[in-house]
Amino acid sequence: LPTQADVLIIGAGAAGLMCASVAGKRGRSVLVLDHANKVGKKILMSGGGRCNFTNLYTAPDNFYSENPHFCKSALARYTQWDFIALVEKHGISYHEKTLGQLFCDNKSRDIVDLLLAECREARAQIRTRCEIQRVEPLAPKGFEVHTALGKVVCESLVIATGGLSIPTMGATGFGYDLAKQFGHNIIPTRAALVPFTLNKRALARQQALPGTSLAVNASCGSGHFHEQMLFTHKGLSGPAVLQISSHWKKGMPVTFDLTPGLDLPEWLNAQRGKRQESFLHTVLAELWSKKLVQFFLQRNGIESKPLKQYSEQAIKVVGEKLQTWTLTPEGTEGYRTAEVTLGGVDTHEVSSRSMESMKQPGLYFIGEVLDVTGWLGGFNFQWAWASAHAAGGEV
Ligand code: FAD
């Protein structure tokens, strides 16, 4: 292990590797340390193995933070177009899946290889399987970092250790603990972009449904997402649920509009005029799968009869009951499966231009460890790239 580096980066994930390449290209000697057995593990598992590396429509509104203005500067100075240009420079083919989400055609490995190639070009050194034991500030500047492989002295120290999601992938609270050591406030963390769990009774009712999905409009608090919802063995998942989980706290109800864009009471009433002999369940099967029709009817205690047997008033009540589903999840699957961690290092105490700590000169925080959390759809990586780029130009 080198005993000295201009810049020491802890965490060889998305943000750490990006920052290493930018700082190295400025002529800084860079060392990246990670305790995991390989770099970029989350990148490798991201986007179902194809890494949703950015989003065409990235804007500050796609991020949650106690300090919503903080992300603007870095996102404006390193945009989705900059990262797309880098992807194209490396000849990586990609496609838009939906809603501006860009995925590799091939594998997430392409993005890790891109970052490693950039780091090689920048002469940044990377060491994995390196436990960090403690960090001590030096006077008048710099840090002494004690690791299982030896001691390193550096001028700038960058914390890129990410959030708490997926501990089995190497996630730790290291970044938060280090921030506290230097007097930083931590915005309380919680698992986000995570499936909901339901209680036993609710699960028993939906036991025929795991694997079934439908388009919904999910709402909770101030959040609204029009996306797919998926029934699982533990509860509910799918993009609509993952997105709305970032707005959810224990005890809050979540509402699903099960026919988004369609006024179900009016629609059913119109069918009643046209198809008097048809049964309610037959008509509903044009909107949902048969299994779902049965589930939603049973859940509301609605009996399926020929449409002519309902009055206008009665069919509208049926439509209202069926259109909206409000439930209170028991919980979430937690950090075990969450894609991200909400909260983190309070950005009121970090420079939005350089990501440098306002408490300790030479100390920087980038990526998910900060209290900046993106929506589902490539926004979290774009934040990692942008914040890393901002710090890489200053360290
Ligand atoms: P990370 O990429 O998590 O890197 C942190 C690094 O620090 C890791 O290498 C870790 O080993 C290391 N580290 C941690 N603690 C220590 C320690 N104590 N000592 C030394 N090293 C340490 N986002 C998207 O935008 N698009 C997607 O498609 C997407 N898919 C995802 C799928 C899954 C299953 C998950 C879990 C997340 C996904 N995300 C996605 C979120 C995205 O992966 C993260 O937001 C992003 O990786 C954060 O980058 P980072 O560099 O801050 O942290």
Side-chain angles (χ1 to χ4, degrees), residues 10-16 33-36 38 40-43 45-47 51-53 103 130 132 160-163 165-166 169-172 174 338-340 366-369 377-382 384:
I10 304 181
L33 300 179
D34 200 299
H35 69 156
K38 57 182 179 189
K41 278 188 164 181
K42 269 196 199 162
I43 304 174
M45 76 187 300
S46 69
C51 187
N52 177 193
F53 54 80
F103 285 77
C130 181
I132 312 299
T161 44
S165 353
I166 326 255
M169 284 289 124
T172 68
F174 178 91
E339 273 196 22
V340 281
I366 57 174
E368 203 182 313
V369 74
F379 303 103
N380 284 295
F381 279 134
Q382 187 57 39

mmCIF file of all heavy atoms in Angstrom, residues 10-16 33-36 38 40-43 45-47 51-53 103 130 132 160-163 165-166 169-172 174 338-340 366-369 377-382 384, ligand 1:
data_model
loop_
_atom_site.group_PDB
_atom_site.id
_atom_site.type_symbol
_atom_site.label_atom_id
_atom_site.label_comp_id
_atom_site.label_asym_id
_atom_site.label_seq_id
_atom_site.Cartn_x
_atom_site.Cartn_y
_atom_site.Cartn_z
ATOM 1 N N ILE A 10 -12.258 6.755 0.000
ATOM 2 C CA ILE A 10 -12.733 5.519 0.639
ATOM 3 C C ILE A 10 -14.055 5.141 -0.014
ATOM 4 O O ILE A 10 -15.022 5.902 0.030
ATOM 5 C CB ILE A 10 -12.884 5.691 2.164
ATOM 6 C CG1 ILE A 10 -11.546 6.165 2.759
ATOM 7 C CG2 ILE A 10 -13.321 4.376 2.803
ATOM 8 C CD1 ILE A 10 -11.560 6.343 4.272
ATOM 9 N N GLY A 11 -14.066 3.960 -0.650
ATOM 10 C CA GLY A 11 -15.253 3.477 -1.369
ATOM 11 C C GLY A 11 -14.999 3.457 -2.870
ATOM 12 O O GLY A 11 -14.876 4.501 -3.502
ATOM 13 N N ALA A 12 -14.899 2.252 -3.426
ATOM 14 C CA ALA A 12 -14.672 2.096 -4.869
ATOM 15 C C ALA A 12 -15.980 1.705 -5.544
ATOM 16 O O ALA A 12 -16.079 0.700 -6.251
ATOM 17 C CB ALA A 12 -13.591 1.054 -5.137
ATOM 18 N N GLY A 13 -17.006 2.546 -5.302
ATOM 19 C CA GLY A 13 -18.290 2.347 -5.974
ATOM 20 C C GLY A 13 -18.418 3.362 -7.091
ATOM 21 O O GLY A 13 -17.411 3.887 -7.599
ATOM 22 N N ALA A 14 -19.652 3.676 -7.439
ATOM 23 C CA ALA A 14 -19.913 4.583 -8.561
ATOM 24 C C ALA A 14 -19.237 5.940 -8.349
ATOM 25 O O ALA A 14 -18.483 6.422 -9.202
ATOM 26 C CB ALA A 14 -21.430 4.755 -8.697
ATOM 27 N N ALA A 15 -19.489 6.555 -7.187
ATOM 28 C CA ALA A 15 -18.969 7.899 -6.946
ATOM 29 C C ALA A 15 -17.449 7.870 -6.758
ATOM 30 O O ALA A 15 -16.732 8.712 -7.328
ATOM 31 C CB ALA A 15 -19.655 8.510 -5.722
ATOM 32 N N GLY A 16 -16.959 6.922 -5.982
ATOM 33 C CA GLY A 16 -15.521 6.869 -5.688
ATOM 34 C C GLY A 16 -14.675 6.712 -6.941
ATOM 35 O O GLY A 16 -13.670 7.421 -7.135
ATOM 36 N N LEU A 33 -9.542 3.110 -1.733
ATOM 37 C CA LEU A 33 -9.559 1.915 -0.876
ATOM 38 C C LEU A 33 -10.995 1.431 -0.672
ATOM 39 O O LEU A 33 -11.900 2.239 -0.479
ATOM 40 C CB LEU A 33 -8.949 2.240 0.494
ATOM 41 C CG LEU A 33 -7.494 2.716 0.503
ATOM 42 C CD1 LEU A 33 -7.055 3.024 1.939
ATOM 43 C CD2 LEU A 33 -6.574 1.680 -0.140
ATOM 44 N N ASP A 34 -11.171 0.127 -0.698
ATOM 45 C CA ASP A 34 -12.509 -0.449 -0.460
ATOM 46 C C ASP A 34 -12.339 -1.737 0.343
ATOM 47 O O ASP A 34 -11.400 -2.493 0.099
ATOM 48 C CB ASP A 34 -13.210 -0.743 -1.791
ATOM 49 C CG ASP A 34 -14.711 -0.861 -1.631
ATOM 50 O OD1 ASP A 34 -15.173 -1.765 -0.882
ATOM 51 O OD2 ASP A 34 -15.442 -0.064 -2.252
ATOM 52 N N HIS A 35 -13.241 -1.986 1.260
ATOM 53 C CA HIS A 35 -13.125 -3.209 2.076
ATOM 54 C C HIS A 35 -13.689 -4.437 1.361
ATOM 55 O O HIS A 35 -13.424 -5.566 1.757
ATOM 56 C CB HIS A 35 -13.794 -3.013 3.439
ATOM 57 C CG HIS A 35 -15.282 -2.910 3.379
ATOM 58 N ND1 HIS A 35 -16.094 -3.212 4.430
ATOM 59 C CD2 HIS A 35 -16.106 -2.538 2.366
ATOM 60 C CE1 HIS A 35 -17.348 -3.024 4.093
ATOM 61 N NE2 HIS A 35 -17.388 -2.618 2.843
ATOM 62 N N ALA A 36 -14.460 -4.213 0.299
ATOM 63 C CA ALA A 36 -15.083 -5.354 -0.404
ATOM 64 C C ALA A 36 -14.028 -6.096 -1.243
ATOM 65 O O ALA A 36 -12.926 -5.597 -1.457
ATOM 66 C CB ALA A 36 -16.211 -4.849 -1.296
ATOM 67 N N LYS A 38 -14.310 -6.793 -4.393
ATOM 68 C CA LYS A 38 -14.186 -6.229 -5.736
ATOM 69 C C LYS A 38 -14.869 -4.872 -5.811
ATOM 70 O O LYS A 38 -15.680 -4.543 -4.949
ATOM 71 C CB LYS A 38 -14.711 -7.184 -6.808
ATOM 72 C CG LYS A 38 -16.128 -7.618 -6.639
ATOM 73 C CD LYS A 38 -16.504 -8.597 -7.742
ATOM 74 C CE LYS A 38 -17.928 -9.065 -7.551
ATOM 75 N NZ LYS A 38 -18.337 -10.141 -8.394
ATOM 76 N N GLY A 40 -17.247 -1.718 -7.329
ATOM 77 C CA GLY A 40 -18.506 -1.478 -8.033
ATOM 78 C C GLY A 40 -19.540 -2.579 -7.945
ATOM 79 O O GLY A 40 -20.280 -2.831 -8.902
ATOM 80 N N LYS A 41 -19.643 -3.201 -6.759
ATOM 81 C CA LYS A 41 -20.590 -4.330 -6.645
ATOM 82 C C LYS A 41 -22.033 -3.918 -6.925
ATOM 83 O O LYS A 41 -22.808 -4.669 -7.509
ATOM 84 C CB LYS A 41 -20.514 -4.915 -5.240
ATOM 85 C CG LYS A 41 -19.362 -5.878 -5.046
ATOM 86 C CD LYS A 41 -19.497 -6.536 -3.690
ATOM 87 C CE LYS A 41 -18.626 -7.769 -3.613
ATOM 88 N NZ LYS A 41 -18.757 -8.437 -2.316
ATOM 89 N N LYS A 42 -22.394 -2.710 -6.453
ATOM 90 C CA LYS A 42 -23.784 -2.281 -6.667
ATOM 91 C C LYS A 42 -24.042 -1.946 -8.123
ATOM 92 O O LYS A 42 -25.152 -2.119 -8.609
ATOM 93 C CB LYS A 42 -24.118 -1.080 -5.789
ATOM 94 C CG LYS A 42 -24.675 -1.523 -4.478
ATOM 95 C CD LYS A 42 -25.353 -0.417 -3.739
ATOM 96 C CE LYS A 42 -25.445 -0.852 -2.295
ATOM 97 N NZ LYS A 42 -25.693 0.288 -1.418
ATOM 98 N N ILE A 43 -23.011 -1.446 -8.788
ATOM 99 C CA ILE A 43 -23.186 -1.177 -10.223
ATOM 100 C C ILE A 43 -23.466 -2.504 -10.922
ATOM 101 O O ILE A 43 -24.367 -2.594 -11.764
ATOM 102 C CB ILE A 43 -21.921 -0.529 -10.836
ATOM 103 C CG1 ILE A 43 -21.547 0.744 -10.070
ATOM 104 C CG2 ILE A 43 -22.113 -0.257 -12.323
ATOM 105 C CD1 ILE A 43 -20.242 1.378 -10.512
ATOM 106 N N MET A 45 -24.874 -5.193 -9.853
ATOM 107 C CA MET A 45 -26.201 -5.782 -9.628
ATOM 108 C C MET A 45 -27.326 -4.817 -10.028
ATOM 109 O O MET A 45 -28.502 -5.174 -9.973
ATOM 110 C CB MET A 45 -26.364 -6.214 -8.172
ATOM 111 C CG MET A 45 -26.609 -5.063 -7.219
ATOM 112 S SD MET A 45 -26.597 -5.579 -5.488
ATOM 113 C CE MET A 45 -27.915 -6.778 -5.450
ATOM 114 N N SER A 46 -26.963 -3.617 -10.451
ATOM 115 C CA SER A 46 -27.990 -2.594 -10.683
ATOM 116 C C SER A 46 -28.782 -2.849 -11.958
ATOM 117 O O SER A 46 -28.319 -3.554 -12.866
ATOM 118 C CB SER A 46 -27.325 -1.224 -10.786
ATOM 119 O OG SER A 46 -26.570 -1.141 -11.972
ATOM 120 N N GLY A 47 -29.967 -2.266 -11.987
ATOM 121 C CA GLY A 47 -30.807 -2.318 -13.182
ATOM 122 C C GLY A 47 -31.010 -3.739 -13.688
ATOM 123 O O GLY A 47 -31.006 -3.967 -14.898
ATOM 124 N N CYS A 51 -27.618 -2.130 -15.474
ATOM 125 C CA CYS A 51 -27.280 -0.794 -14.979
ATOM 126 C C CYS A 51 -28.051 0.332 -15.681
ATOM 127 O O CYS A 51 -27.723 0.731 -16.789
ATOM 128 C CB CYS A 51 -25.778 -0.517 -15.101
ATOM 129 S SG CYS A 51 -25.317 1.036 -14.309
ATOM 130 N N ASN A 52 -29.020 0.842 -14.983
ATOM 131 C CA ASN A 52 -29.751 2.026 -15.463
ATOM 132 C C ASN A 52 -28.882 3.226 -15.053
ATOM 133 O O ASN A 52 -29.036 3.780 -13.991
ATOM 134 C CB ASN A 52 -31.129 2.042 -14.792
ATOM 135 C CG ASN A 52 -31.958 3.245 -15.141
ATOM 136 O OD1 ASN A 52 -32.968 3.498 -14.494
ATOM 137 N ND2 ASN A 52 -31.556 4.003 -16.147
ATOM 138 N N PHE A 53 -27.930 3.570 -15.952
ATOM 139 C CA PHE A 53 -26.816 4.447 -15.549
ATOM 140 C C PHE A 53 -27.145 5.935 -15.501
ATOM 141 O O PHE A 53 -26.423 6.714 -14.889
ATOM 142 C CB PHE A 53 -25.590 4.203 -16.429
ATOM 143 C CG PHE A 53 -25.844 4.326 -17.907
ATOM 144 C CD1 PHE A 53 -25.904 5.559 -18.508
ATOM 145 C CD2 PHE A 53 -26.013 3.183 -18.686
ATOM 146 C CE1 PHE A 53 -26.143 5.670 -19.869
ATOM 147 C CE2 PHE A 53 -26.256 3.285 -20.042
ATOM 148 C CZ PHE A 53 -26.323 4.534 -20.645
ATOM 149 N N PHE A 103 -30.297 2.141 -20.156
ATOM 150 C CA PHE A 103 -29.696 0.871 -19.702
ATOM 151 C C PHE A 103 -28.635 0.425 -20.705
ATOM 152 O O PHE A 103 -28.748 0.712 -21.904
ATOM 153 C CB PHE A 103 -30.758 -0.242 -19.650
ATOM 154 C CG PHE A 103 -31.719 -0.154 -18.504
ATOM 155 C CD1 PHE A 103 -32.768 0.765 -18.516
ATOM 156 C CD2 PHE A 103 -31.595 -0.995 -17.414
ATOM 157 C CE1 PHE A 103 -33.668 0.843 -17.455
ATOM 158 C CE2 PHE A 103 -32.488 -0.930 -16.348
ATOM 159 C CZ PHE A 103 -33.518 -0.015 -16.369
ATOM 160 N N CYS A 130 -9.553 -3.896 1.820
ATOM 161 C CA CYS A 130 -8.777 -3.064 2.733
ATOM 162 C C CYS A 130 -9.703 -2.432 3.773
ATOM 163 O O CYS A 130 -10.477 -1.531 3.462
ATOM 164 C CB CYS A 130 -8.031 -1.986 1.938
ATOM 165 S SG CYS A 130 -7.035 -0.926 3.004
ATOM 166 N N ILE A 132 -10.762 -0.107 6.761
ATOM 167 C CA ILE A 132 -10.314 1.184 7.289
ATOM 168 C C ILE A 132 -10.521 1.150 8.804
ATOM 169 O O ILE A 132 -11.638 0.892 9.262
ATOM 170 C CB ILE A 132 -11.131 2.352 6.683
ATOM 171 C CG1 ILE A 132 -11.232 2.216 5.158
ATOM 172 C CG2 ILE A 132 -10.536 3.700 7.106
ATOM 173 C CD1 ILE A 132 -9.935 2.236 4.416
ATOM 174 N N ALA A 160 -16.779 8.085 0.040
ATOM 175 C CA ALA A 160 -17.685 7.634 -1.036
ATOM 176 C C ALA A 160 -18.198 6.245 -0.697
ATOM 177 O O ALA A 160 -18.254 5.357 -1.548
ATOM 178 C CB ALA A 160 -16.936 7.641 -2.368
ATOM 179 N N THR A 161 -18.573 6.073 0.589
ATOM 180 C CA THR A 161 -18.922 4.725 1.051
ATOM 181 C C THR A 161 -20.413 4.400 0.907
ATOM 182 O O THR A 161 -20.846 3.349 1.361
ATOM 183 C CB THR A 161 -18.488 4.543 2.529
ATOM 184 O OG1 THR A 161 -18.863 5.715 3.258
ATOM 185 C CG2 THR A 161 -16.990 4.360 2.635
ATOM 186 N N GLY A 162 -21.175 5.280 0.286
ATOM 187 C CA GLY A 162 -22.563 4.936 -0.041
ATOM 188 C C GLY A 162 -23.469 4.877 1.176
ATOM 189 O O GLY A 162 -23.130 5.356 2.264
ATOM 190 N N GLY A 163 -24.653 4.275 0.979
ATOM 191 C CA GLY A 163 -25.667 4.194 2.033
ATOM 192 C C GLY A 163 -25.682 2.823 2.693
ATOM 193 O O GLY A 163 -24.732 2.038 2.566
ATOM 194 N N SER A 165 -28.069 0.425 2.192
ATOM 195 C CA SER A 165 -28.819 -0.635 1.520
ATOM 196 C C SER A 165 -27.930 -1.784 1.077
ATOM 197 O O SER A 165 -26.827 -1.564 0.589
ATOM 198 C CB SER A 165 -29.568 -0.078 0.311
ATOM 199 O OG SER A 165 -29.480 1.288 0.259
ATOM 200 N N ILE A 166 -28.447 -2.963 1.246
ATOM 201 C CA ILE A 166 -27.834 -4.250 0.891
ATOM 202 C C ILE A 166 -26.494 -4.463 1.616
ATOM 203 O O ILE A 166 -25.412 -4.418 1.023
ATOM 204 C CB ILE A 166 -27.643 -4.436 -0.636
ATOM 205 C CG1 ILE A 166 -28.779 -3.759 -1.399
ATOM 206 C CG2 ILE A 166 -27.484 -5.917 -0.955
ATOM 207 C CD1 ILE A 166 -29.815 -4.613 -1.979
ATOM 208 N N MET A 169 -23.787 -6.663 0.253
ATOM 209 C CA MET A 169 -22.954 -6.150 -0.846
ATOM 210 C C MET A 169 -21.840 -5.258 -0.319
ATOM 211 O O MET A 169 -21.171 -4.581 -1.086
ATOM 212 C CB MET A 169 -23.807 -5.304 -1.801
ATOM 213 C CG MET A 169 -24.683 -6.096 -2.701
ATOM 214 S SD MET A 169 -23.683 -6.924 -3.936
ATOM 215 C CE MET A 169 -24.196 -8.583 -3.623
ATOM 216 N N GLY A 170 -21.685 -5.168 1.002
ATOM 217 C CA GLY A 170 -20.585 -4.370 1.548
ATOM 218 C C GLY A 170 -21.003 -3.023 2.089
ATOM 219 O O GLY A 170 -20.146 -2.210 2.463
ATOM 220 N N ALA A 171 -22.324 -2.752 2.147
ATOM 221 C CA ALA A 171 -22.773 -1.449 2.662
ATOM 222 C C ALA A 171 -22.528 -1.376 4.168
ATOM 223 O O ALA A 171 -22.788 -2.338 4.896
ATOM 224 C CB ALA A 171 -24.253 -1.251 2.363
ATOM 225 N N THR A 172 -22.012 -0.237 4.627
ATOM 226 C CA THR A 172 -21.790 -0.017 6.056
ATOM 227 C C THR A 172 -22.159 1.421 6.398
ATOM 228 O O THR A 172 -22.307 2.261 5.518
ATOM 229 C CB THR A 172 -20.306 -0.195 6.444
ATOM 230 O OG1 THR A 172 -19.553 0.885 5.856
ATOM 231 C CG2 THR A 172 -19.738 -1.530 5.997
ATOM 232 N N PHE A 174 -20.128 3.399 7.711
ATOM 233 C CA PHE A 174 -18.822 4.042 7.895
ATOM 234 C C PHE A 174 -18.865 5.541 7.616
ATOM 235 O O PHE A 174 -18.352 6.345 8.391
ATOM 236 C CB PHE A 174 -17.788 3.378 6.968
ATOM 237 C CG PHE A 174 -16.420 4.006 7.059
ATOM 238 C CD1 PHE A 174 -15.474 3.541 7.961
ATOM 239 C CD2 PHE A 174 -16.070 5.070 6.240
ATOM 240 C CE1 PHE A 174 -14.217 4.131 8.059
ATOM 241 C CE2 PHE A 174 -14.813 5.672 6.326
ATOM 242 C CZ PHE A 174 -13.886 5.199 7.236
ATOM 243 N N ALA A 338 -33.525 -2.791 -0.152
ATOM 244 C CA ALA A 338 -33.741 -1.403 -0.600
ATOM 245 C C ALA A 338 -32.681 -1.008 -1.621
ATOM 246 O O ALA A 338 -31.520 -1.363 -1.484
ATOM 247 C CB ALA A 338 -33.676 -0.461 0.591
ATOM 248 N N GLU A 339 -33.100 -0.240 -2.631
ATOM 249 C CA GLU A 339 -32.113 0.220 -3.610
ATOM 250 C C GLU A 339 -31.313 1.401 -3.089
ATOM 251 O O GLU A 339 -30.185 1.613 -3.527
ATOM 252 C CB GLU A 339 -32.796 0.620 -4.926
ATOM 253 C CG GLU A 339 -32.966 -0.558 -5.842
ATOM 254 C CD GLU A 339 -33.271 -0.171 -7.272
ATOM 255 O OE1 GLU A 339 -32.958 0.949 -7.680
ATOM 256 O OE2 GLU A 339 -33.837 -1.017 -7.968
ATOM 257 N N VAL A 340 -31.890 2.171 -2.211
ATOM 258 C CA VAL A 340 -31.162 3.339 -1.705
ATOM 259 C C VAL A 340 -31.489 3.629 -0.246
ATOM 260 O O VAL A 340 -32.409 3.044 0.333
ATOM 261 C CB VAL A 340 -31.474 4.645 -2.492
ATOM 262 C CG1 VAL A 340 -30.725 4.711 -3.789
ATOM 263 C CG2 VAL A 340 -32.940 4.877 -2.635
ATOM 264 N N ILE A 366 -19.275 12.383 -1.140
ATOM 265 C CA ILE A 366 -19.917 12.296 -2.458
ATOM 266 C C ILE A 366 -20.830 11.071 -2.544
ATOM 267 O O ILE A 366 -20.670 10.108 -1.795
ATOM 268 C CB ILE A 366 -18.861 12.229 -3.602
ATOM 269 C CG1 ILE A 366 -17.907 11.049 -3.388
ATOM 270 C CG2 ILE A 366 -18.087 13.538 -3.696
ATOM 271 C CD1 ILE A 366 -16.941 10.842 -4.554
ATOM 272 N N GLY A 367 -21.779 11.135 -3.452
ATOM 273 C CA GLY A 367 -22.661 9.983 -3.716
ATOM 274 C C GLY A 367 -23.751 9.829 -2.675
ATOM 275 O O GLY A 367 -24.237 10.798 -2.072
ATOM 276 N N GLU A 368 -24.122 8.582 -2.434
ATOM 277 C CA GLU A 368 -25.307 8.271 -1.629
ATOM 278 C C GLU A 368 -25.130 8.565 -0.146
ATOM 279 O O GLU A 368 -26.123 8.672 0.584
ATOM 280 C CB GLU A 368 -25.652 6.797 -1.847
ATOM 281 C CG GLU A 368 -27.081 6.465 -1.555
ATOM 282 C CD GLU A 368 -27.368 4.987 -1.727
ATOM 283 O OE1 GLU A 368 -26.959 4.409 -2.756
ATOM 284 O OE2 GLU A 368 -27.997 4.424 -0.822
ATOM 285 N N VAL A 369 -23.905 8.686 0.337
ATOM 286 C CA VAL A 369 -23.684 8.961 1.764
ATOM 287 C C VAL A 369 -24.266 10.323 2.145
ATOM 288 O O VAL A 369 -24.625 10.553 3.291
ATOM 289 C CB VAL A 369 -22.173 8.853 2.100
ATOM 290 C CG1 VAL A 369 -21.382 10.052 1.559
ATOM 291 C CG2 VAL A 369 -21.954 8.716 3.597
ATOM 292 N N GLY A 377 -34.879 5.063 -11.452
ATOM 293 C CA GLY A 377 -34.822 5.382 -12.885
ATOM 294 C C GLY A 377 -33.501 5.943 -13.367
ATOM 295 O O GLY A 377 -33.465 6.622 -14.389
ATOM 296 N N GLY A 378 -32.401 5.679 -12.653
ATOM 297 C CA GLY A 378 -31.082 6.130 -13.100
ATOM 298 C C GLY A 378 -30.625 7.408 -12.429
ATOM 299 O O GLY A 378 -29.506 7.869 -12.645
ATOM 300 N N PHE A 379 -31.489 7.986 -11.588
ATOM 301 C CA PHE A 379 -31.168 9.259 -10.946
ATOM 302 C C PHE A 379 -30.102 9.106 -9.864
ATOM 303 O O PHE A 379 -29.302 10.015 -9.647
ATOM 304 C CB PHE A 379 -32.430 9.886 -10.346
ATOM 305 C CG PHE A 379 -33.507 10.100 -11.368
ATOM 306 C CD1 PHE A 379 -34.602 9.256 -11.447
ATOM 307 C CD2 PHE A 379 -33.401 11.135 -12.290
ATOM 308 C CE1 PHE A 379 -35.589 9.439 -12.401
ATOM 309 C CE2 PHE A 379 -34.383 11.332 -13.248
ATOM 310 C CZ PHE A 379 -35.477 10.474 -13.309
ATOM 311 N N ASN A 380 -30.080 7.957 -9.183
ATOM 312 C CA ASN A 380 -29.088 7.793 -8.119
ATOM 313 C C ASN A 380 -27.680 7.693 -8.687
ATOM 314 O O ASN A 380 -26.741 8.266 -8.125
ATOM 315 C CB ASN A 380 -29.454 6.603 -7.231
ATOM 316 C CG ASN A 380 -30.593 6.987 -6.303
ATOM 317 O OD1 ASN A 380 -30.431 7.852 -5.442
ATOM 318 N ND2 ASN A 380 -31.763 6.397 -6.522
ATOM 319 N N PHE A 381 -27.536 7.007 -9.812
ATOM 320 C CA PHE A 381 -26.201 6.993 -10.436
ATOM 321 C C PHE A 381 -25.841 8.385 -10.950
ATOM 322 O O PHE A 381 -24.705 8.817 -10.811
ATOM 323 C CB PHE A 381 -26.117 5.961 -11.560
ATOM 324 C CG PHE A 381 -25.885 4.569 -11.046
ATOM 325 C CD1 PHE A 381 -26.626 3.496 -11.532
ATOM 326 C CD2 PHE A 381 -24.927 4.320 -10.082
ATOM 327 C CE1 PHE A 381 -26.417 2.210 -11.043
ATOM 328 C CE2 PHE A 381 -24.712 3.034 -9.583
ATOM 329 C CZ PHE A 381 -25.461 1.978 -10.073
ATOM 330 N N GLN A 382 -26.797 9.098 -11.542
ATOM 331 C CA GLN A 382 -26.464 10.430 -12.040
ATOM 332 C C GLN A 382 -25.984 11.313 -10.889
ATOM 333 O O GLN A 382 -25.061 12.107 -11.067
ATOM 334 C CB GLN A 382 -27.645 11.057 -12.776
ATOM 335 C CG GLN A 382 -27.299 12.377 -13.474
ATOM 336 C CD GLN A 382 -26.150 12.258 -14.479
ATOM 337 O OE1 GLN A 382 -26.037 11.269 -15.200
ATOM 338 N NE2 GLN A 382 -25.273 13.258 -14.512
ATOM 339 N N ALA A 384 -24.414 10.190 -8.218
ATOM 340 C CA ALA A 384 -23.055 9.698 -7.910
ATOM 341 C C ALA A 384 -22.058 10.313 -8.894
ATOM 342 O O ALA A 384 -21.017 10.848 -8.491
ATOM 343 C CB ALA A 384 -23.013 8.164 -7.965
HETATM 344 P P1 FAD B 1 -21.783 2.572 -3.726
HETATM 345 O O1 FAD B 1 -21.856 2.369 -5.190
HETATM 346 O O2 FAD B 1 -22.657 1.775 -2.828
HETATM 347 O O3 FAD B 1 -20.269 2.354 -3.302
HETATM 348 C C1 FAD B 1 -19.845 2.405 -1.960
HETATM 349 C C2 FAD B 1 -18.551 1.629 -1.851
HETATM 350 O O4 FAD B 1 -18.010 1.841 -0.541
HETATM 351 C C3 FAD B 1 -18.749 0.128 -2.005
HETATM 352 O O5 FAD B 1 -17.826 -0.377 -2.939
HETATM 353 C C4 FAD B 1 -18.500 -0.415 -0.594
HETATM 354 O O6 FAD B 1 -17.899 -1.706 -0.608
HETATM 355 C C5 FAD B 1 -17.558 0.618 -0.028
HETATM 356 N N1 FAD B 1 -17.597 0.687 1.429
HETATM 357 C C6 FAD B 1 -18.684 0.753 2.229
HETATM 358 N N2 FAD B 1 -18.320 0.777 3.513
HETATM 359 C C7 FAD B 1 -16.963 0.723 3.533
HETATM 360 C C8 FAD B 1 -16.001 0.687 4.572
HETATM 361 N N3 FAD B 1 -16.376 0.709 5.862
HETATM 362 N N4 FAD B 1 -14.695 0.607 4.249
HETATM 363 C C9 FAD B 1 -14.312 0.565 2.943
HETATM 364 N N5 FAD B 1 -15.178 0.582 1.916
HETATM 365 C C10 FAD B 1 -16.484 0.668 2.207
HETATM 366 N N6 FAD B 1 -29.252 3.423 -9.115
HETATM 367 C C11 FAD B 1 -29.476 3.845 -10.380
HETATM 368 O O7 FAD B 1 -29.329 5.037 -10.674
HETATM 369 N N7 FAD B 1 -29.855 2.953 -11.362
HETATM 370 C C12 FAD B 1 -30.016 1.614 -11.112
HETATM 371 O O8 FAD B 1 -30.281 0.830 -12.026
HETATM 372 C C13 FAD B 1 -29.845 1.171 -9.775
HETATM 373 N N8 FAD B 1 -30.069 -0.125 -9.458
HETATM 374 C C14 FAD B 1 -29.820 -0.542 -8.188
HETATM 375 C C15 FAD B 1 -30.060 -1.887 -7.872
HETATM 376 C C16 FAD B 1 -29.799 -2.349 -6.588
HETATM 377 C C17 FAD B 1 -30.096 -3.775 -6.237
HETATM 378 C C18 FAD B 1 -29.278 -1.455 -5.614
HETATM 379 C C19 FAD B 1 -28.957 -1.927 -4.231
HETATM 380 C C20 FAD B 1 -29.069 -0.127 -5.915
HETATM 381 C C21 FAD B 1 -29.354 0.356 -7.202
HETATM 382 N N9 FAD B 1 -29.176 1.699 -7.521
HETATM 383 C C22 FAD B 1 -29.422 2.116 -8.804
HETATM 384 C C23 FAD B 1 -28.651 2.682 -6.548
HETATM 385 C C24 FAD B 1 -27.137 2.892 -6.810
HETATM 386 O O9 FAD B 1 -26.513 1.624 -6.891
HETATM 387 C C25 FAD B 1 -26.488 3.700 -5.696
HETATM 388 O O10 FAD B 1 -27.215 4.874 -5.460
HETATM 389 C C26 FAD B 1 -25.054 4.068 -6.083
HETATM 390 O O11 FAD B 1 -24.295 2.890 -6.249
HETATM 391 C C27 FAD B 1 -24.417 4.948 -5.033
HETATM 392 O O12 FAD B 1 -23.079 5.169 -5.383
HETATM 393 P P2 FAD B 1 -21.981 5.396 -4.262
HETATM 394 O O13 FAD B 1 -20.686 5.396 -4.961
HETATM 395 O O14 FAD B 1 -22.352 6.534 -3.415
HETATM 396 O O15 FAD B 1 -22.075 4.102 -3.338
#
